[in-house]
Amino acid sequence: MLLQAAIDQFLADLQQADKSQHTVRAYRADLLALTAIAPQALTQLNADHLRAFFTRQSHLKPTTRARKQAAVASFLHWAFQQDLIEANPMLKIPRVQVHPPIHHPPSRTQIEAILAVIPPHHLRDQVLFRLLFETGMRVGETLALYVEDVELTPDNEHLTVMGKGRRQRTLLLDDPVLVALLKRFLRLHPSRHGPLFRALKNYQGGPLRYQSVQAKWAKYCQIAHVDCSLHQLRHAHATELINEGVSLSTIRKRLGHQHIQSTLRYAQQSDEVADLEIRAWRRRKRRS
């Protein structure tokens, strides 16, 4: 089987399995680069070809190199399972070790400073970015929301979110500022169905694109003189919850994580909160 044909089938299977479009695009780009130096026949691909491919990327950051290795490894594992190759040459290649970074999310004060520079008449942006911060949703999940997914019954305000792996969850909307903004936003929204966040100012366009949202957020951060990525809004929300004593199992459910290990990467207690817990434990121990 030709290498390119196998890659096309692999990507089609990823889409069929509801993998994120971001993952499919990244894998397609990485595997396309592999075809530039690999033989046309998949069965002729060996460890030497992979070493040559990865050597060309030695100048890249470890995280980028690890991602490219993951794309190739996933493809070859799939090819082996499909009986397209007799052995997986990726098993002969040492994997790049990536040490998880130490996260320092921005504080609520810093994020509020960014939200404060959004013009009042840009209601869509006010709702979108506060929603990301106050719920910890992924950007893709937020942009996929429909008007029908919003329930604003008093004392039962919530969202229905479709997360990774087509797993649905319900998110409580407990922030009064966010709820008030959402109510105002929906009153002005001309449609009772369809995408919640549309591209045009009159809300008549298609869903907002991730790149557009990222550019808008970067502009607001620049105006506010605060360094904060879109993804850090999610991390900041998780960290705020854990510092207020919310359990990891609840945070895991709110963020839509399948495994608690994923939650642990986001939920990082502040030193002050950790010290208070240690002191409280020490006092209990002395009294016992």
Side-chain angles (χ1 to χ4, degrees):
M1 188 176 191
L2 293 179
L3 175 60
Q4 184 61 62
I7 290 173
D8 291 341
Q9 184 59 57
F10 167 66
L11 295 173
D13 281 359
L14 288 184
Q15 292 180 320
Q16 182 66 27
D18 283 329
K19 296 297 182 182
S20 73
Q21 290 302 308
H22 176 75
T23 298
V24 175
R25 284 195 300 268
Y27 277 23
R28 179 180 288 111
D30 293 335
L31 294 174
L32 179 62
L34 175 64
T35 62
I37 68 165
Q40 289 189 344
L42 173 61
T43 54
Q44 294 178 2
L45 183 66
N46 58 41
D48 288 336
H49 297 121
L50 298 181
R51 291 188 185 97
F53 177 61
F54 294 131
T55 297
R56 291 188 173 191
Q57 302 161 3
S58 58
H59 64 287
L60 300 175
K61 294 180 180 179
T63 51
T64 304
R65 289 158 50 210
R67 191 207 72 215
K68 292 179 180 296
Q69 280 193 340
V72 175
S74 181
F75 165 63
L76 291 175
H77 177 71
W78 170 88
F80 179 74
Q81 287 185 319
Q82 300 295 320
D83 296 323
L84 299 179
I85 53 177
E86 294 183 358
N88 184 351
M90 192 66 198
L91 297 178
K92 299 180 180 180
I93 304 297
R95 301 295 290 271
V96 175
Q97 297 298 313
V98 179
H99 300 287
I102 298 176
H103 295 286
H104 297 288
S107 66
R108 172 171 284 273
T109 300
Q110 291 174 305
I111 293 173
E112 290 287 359
I114 302 171
L115 297 175
V117 305
I118 302 176
H121 58 281
H122 289 185
L123 182 58
R124 182 197 61 192
D125 291 356
Q126 288 188 344
V127 174
L128 171 61
F129 294 122
R130 185 166 291 278
L131 187 64
L132 285 168
F133 175 46
E134 298 292 0
T135 65
M137 278 194 296
R138 301 175 179 93
V139 179
E141 293 172 342
T142 307
L143 297 183
L145 285 174
Y146 273 50
V147 176
E148 302 95 304
D149 297 326
V150 184
E151 174 56 60
L152 294 179
T153 302
D155 296 325
N156 188 31
E157 296 91 347
H158 62 268
L159 296 175
T160 301
V161 182
M162 186 64 70
K164 281 187 175 181
R166 307 292 295 175
R167 292 187 295 272
Q168 191 177 83
R169 69 187 190 277
T170 300
L171 277 179
L172 175 68
L173 299 175
D174 60 330
D175 180 70
V177 175
L178 173 60
V179 170
L181 283 172
L182 263 172
K183 287 181 177 179
R184 182 181 164 208
F185 182 60
L186 288 177
R187 282 198 302 268
L188 298 175
H189 207 292
S191 177
R192 299 298 89 187
H193 57 83
L196 179 63
F197 297 108
R198 296 177 182 267
L200 300 182
K201 292 181 180 179
N202 60 5
Y203 313 130
Q204 295 295 324
L208 272 174
R209 296 170 61 248
Y210 179 91
Q211 292 83 351
S212 299
V213 175
Q214 193 172 41
K216 286 178 176 294
W217 180 248
K219 181 187 71 174
Y220 294 136
C221 289
Q222 185 178 25
I223 295 172
H225 304 290
V226 177
D227 185 14
C228 175
S229 68
L230 269 178
H231 184 71
Q232 282 182 307
L233 292 175
R234 179 170 165 85
H235 184 199
H237 180 67
T239 302
E240 188 173 70
L241 291 180
I242 198 170
N243 285 339
E244 293 297 327
V246 179
S247 69
L248 283 177
S249 59
T250 297
I251 297 173
R252 179 191 68 79
K253 184 177 184 300
R254 188 163 177 84
L255 296 183
H257 287 152
Q258 189 172 11
H259 304 291
I260 196 69
Q261 289 82 0
S262 300
T263 311
L264 288 170
R265 292 202 303 266
Y266 292 95
Q268 177 183 331
Q269 278 188 329
S270 68
D271 291 340
E272 181 182 358
V273 172
D275 289 348
L276 287 174
E277 287 197 8
I278 292 296
R279 289 191 177 102
W281 168 79
R282 183 69 68 185
R283 285 193 297 270
R284 291 194 300 270
K285 184 178 179 183
R286 288 171 180 170
R287 286 196 298 267
S288 61

